[in-house]
Amino acid sequence: MKYRSEYLKDCITVMPEGDLDAESARETREYLDKLIDGYRFDTFIIDFAKVDFMDSTGIGVLLGRYKRIKALGADLCVTNVRPQVDKVFRISGLYQIIKAVSV
Amino acid sequence: MKITNHVSITLPALHGNEGFARAAVAAFCAPLSPTLEEINDIKTAVSEAVTNVIVHAYPGTSGNVELTVRIFDDRVIDIVVADQGTGMSNVEEARKPFFTTKSQEEHSGMGFTIMEAFTDKIEILSEKGRGTSISMRKELKNA
Ligand SMILES: Nc1ncnc2c1ncn2[C@@H]1O[C@H](COP(=O)(O)OP(=O)(O)O)[C@@H](O)[C@H]1O
Ligand SMILES: [Mg+2]
């Protein structure tokens, strides 16, 4: 998994690249937590444009970050969600708490 | 139904092999011309079942994932993911959305829910101390 991130006007955008599964869960969690701990932000956006695959391990990673970001009074959003990941989001009900936005 | 192709793969239950397992099954099914959604459904279901063996089946020890794919009439795909690990004492409970025995490691408990949603049929056999076998069926629509 590779990651790029951008910090602009109280908004962090992260663009992971690769499959988000049990193999990449830990490094993804660590990468996101470093940003959460290191910056002040109102909105945290994960751009899924380059994630072709995610399974339920990814749901766990996202829910864990959601709780941390919520506790800081900020929002977690996702964008550019591709079809396979979109189906996992829909079936698990994740869109009910993590909003999809267009950027 | 007539069996038209099959493959069996045995691999150690180690992280890194979940990606290989789902790619291998997808490649094996590719000649049947599944839609992109069907291939993604198969990859997702395989990933969940294989990941469960890697994460849950062999606590403190090691063991194998046994993956078998059988194709019937070039259209019906049966996938079996088996282990000889710790097994489950209560399968009905394990199937429930958000049920996990590993919440402290942020496992979501949505694996079985996703396997059910992404396949046409799932059968779970498990015996405490003996192991687990997950059978999933996917029928290709336009094949
Ligand atoms: N192959 C397996 N061997 C032993 N236990 C398993 C196996 N697969 C699943 N389980 C049990 O079923 C529970 C639910 O599985 P799942 O829905 O995939 O959620 P998660 O993997 O996030 O815990 C697991 O927490 C585990 O206790
Ligand atoms: Mg699981």
Side-chain angles (χ1 to χ4, degrees):
Chain A
M1 200 97 176
K2 286 193 291 184
Y3 312 88
R4 281 201 296 125
S5 56
E6 192 176 271
Y7 180 51
L8 198 81
K9 284 197 203 153
D10 300 324
C11 176
I12 294 182
T13 305
V14 185
M15 190 186 270
E17 183 176 347
D19 292 355
L20 181 42
D21 62 2
E23 193 194 356
S24 60
R26 177 203 287 258
E27 54 166 325
T28 302
R29 175 162 43 233
E30 286 171 0
Y31 184 88
L32 297 175
D33 279 346
K34 231 177 249 170
L35 292 173
I36 293 170
D37 293 332
Y39 294 86
R40 281 172 56 105
F41 57 89
D42 296 327
T43 312
F44 196 106
I45 300 175
I46 304 178
D47 186 335
F48 274 87
K50 292 182 172 173
V51 179
D52 284 332
F53 183 87
M54 182 183 98
D55 63 21
S56 72
T57 321
I59 300 174
V61 172
L62 292 174
L63 285 175
R65 286 342 96 211
Y66 169 80
K67 285 180 197 148
R68 297 204 59 209
I69 289 167
K70 212 66 211 160
L72 295 167
D75 286 319
L76 173 63
C77 306
V78 293
T79 191
N80 294 324
V81 180
R82 300 169 60 96
Q84 187 273 342
V85 182
D86 179 68
K87 194 163 174 179
V88 170
F89 267 70
R90 280 189 281 116
I91 278 153
S92 61
L94 217 54
Y95 282 134
Q96 282 156 33
I97 58 166
I98 300 175
K99 291 278 163 287
V101 295
S102 45
V103 289
Chain B
M1 283 198 305
K2 198 166 118 331
I3 187 157
T4 43
N5 206 357
H6 62 94
V7 67
S8 297
I9 303 171
T10 302
L11 63 175
L14 298 172
H15 281 304
N17 281 340
E18 57 281 81
F20 169 77
R22 63 179 180 260
V25 176
F28 187 69
C29 297
L32 310 176
S33 307
T35 63
L36 188 58
E37 181 172 8
E38 285 167 337
I39 267 294
N40 280 335
D41 289 353
I42 291 165
K43 282 171 72 175
T44 313
V46 168
S47 194
E48 293 296 348
V50 172
T51 298
N52 276 354
V53 178
I54 296 170
V55 173
H56 302 293
Y58 302 106
T61 59
S62 53
N64 289 333
V65 185
E66 279 155 35
L67 177 65
T68 305
V69 185
R70 289 186 192 85
I71 295 170
F72 299 90
D73 299 340
D74 288 329
R75 187 181 60 82
V76 177
I77 302 166
D78 276 2
I79 300 160
V80 180
V81 176
D83 65 70
Q84 285 159 4
T86 169
M88 288 175 259
S89 45
N90 189 340
V91 170
E92 282 322 301
E93 185 179 47
R95 287 175 86 134
K96 286 185 184 145
F98 300 108
F99 176 86
T100 180
T101 49
K102 288 218 166 180
S103 57
Q104 75 284 3
E105 288 168 46
E106 291 188 345
H107 288 279
S108 65
M110 291 302 285
F112 281 125
T113 304
I114 287 178
M115 286 183 249
E116 275 168 35
F118 283 63
T119 60
D120 298 308
K121 196 173 135 190
I122 176 170
E123 208 174 275
I124 305 167
L125 291 172
S126 193
E127 199 182 327
K128 198 77 200 153
R130 304 287 303 263
T132 300
S133 169
I134 311 290
S135 305
M136 298 179 283
R137 171 166 291 185
K138 188 82 184 167
E139 293 189 30
L140 303 183
K141 295 290 171 272
N142 297 319

